[in-house]
């Protein structure tokens, strides 16, 4: 078993961006719980356009996650009834 696989002992919720509505707002797939290692640290990374942007976490995950997807540290069961739109969930953030 790899070291990173052993380190992924935390849970996070992932919303994959699956498209856009006619007005340009993103559409998300069903929220899923994944295994991860979530490290809180501020760093500067390049965004999709190659510009510097500040992020506050680095997350090691058990699957492919793309820019534009959204994540939140914690278990799916802790979200309550609102699970369809991560933009309305406190603590959820866009993957950059």
């Amino acid at each position: 078993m790899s070291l990173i696989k052993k380190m992924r002992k935390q849970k996070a919720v992932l919303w994959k961006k699956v498209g856009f509505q006619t007005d340009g707002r993103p559409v998300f797939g069903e929220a899923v719980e994944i295994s991860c290692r979530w490290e809180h640290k501020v760093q500067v990374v390049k965004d999709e356009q190659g510009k510097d942007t500040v992020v506050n976490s680095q997350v090691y995950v058990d699957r492919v996650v793309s820019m534009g997807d959204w994540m939140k540290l914690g278990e799916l069961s802790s979200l309550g009834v609102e699970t369809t739109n991560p933009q309305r969930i406190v603590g959820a953030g866009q993957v950059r």
Side-chain angles (χ1 to χ4, degrees), residues 11 32 43 56 59 70 76 86:
K11 299 293 182 186
V32 294
Q43 57 187 352
N56 59 13
V59 185
W70 280 62
L76 182 59

Side-chain angles (χ1 to χ4, degrees), residues 14-20 24-30 48 66-70 86-87 94-95:
L14 170 66
W15 293 266
K16 298 289 287 178
K17 184 176 73 175
V18 296
F20 293 94
R25 290 181 294 152
V27 174
F28 299 98
E30 185 175 332
E48 290 177 300
S66 303
M67 288 187 182
D69 294 344
W70 280 62
Q87 295 172 316
Q94 185 177 24
V95 175

Side-chain angles (χ1 to χ4, degrees), residues 71-85:
M71 295 181 68
K72 179 182 182 350
L73 180 61
E75 297 180 359
L76 182 59
S77 62
S78 70
L79 295 180
V81 292
E82 174 60 64
T83 62
T84 58
N85 186 350

Side-chain angles (χ1 to χ4, degrees):
M1 183 181 298
S2 74
L3 178 61
I4 291 178
K5 188 172 183 178
K6 288 179 187 177
M7 290 173 43
R8 291 190 313 243
K9 296 184 182 216
Q10 295 167 290
K11 299 293 182 186
V13 180
L14 170 66
W15 293 266
K16 298 289 287 178
K17 184 176 73 175
V18 296
F20 293 94
Q21 296 180 26
T22 56
D23 62 3
R25 290 181 294 152
V27 174
F28 299 98
E30 185 175 332
V32 294
E33 187 174 286
I34 64 172
S35 296
C36 72
R37 168 71 180 183
W38 195 293
E39 296 180 356
H40 296 283
K41 63 183 191 179
V42 176
Q43 57 187 352
V44 177
V45 298
K46 300 284 184 193
D47 66 12
E48 290 177 300
Q49 290 78 36
K51 296 179 183 175
D52 287 343
T53 186
V54 177
V55 297
N56 59 13
S57 298
Q58 183 170 351
V59 185
Y60 301 91
V61 296
D62 63 355
R63 65 197 65 207
V64 174
V65 174
S66 303
M67 288 187 182
D69 294 344
W70 280 62
M71 295 181 68
K72 179 182 182 350
L73 180 61
E75 297 180 359
L76 182 59
S77 62
S78 70
L79 295 180
V81 292
E82 174 60 64
T83 62
T84 58
N85 186 350
Q87 295 172 316
R88 295 181 181 170
I89 296 175
V90 175
Q94 185 177 24
V95 175
R96 295 189 245 165

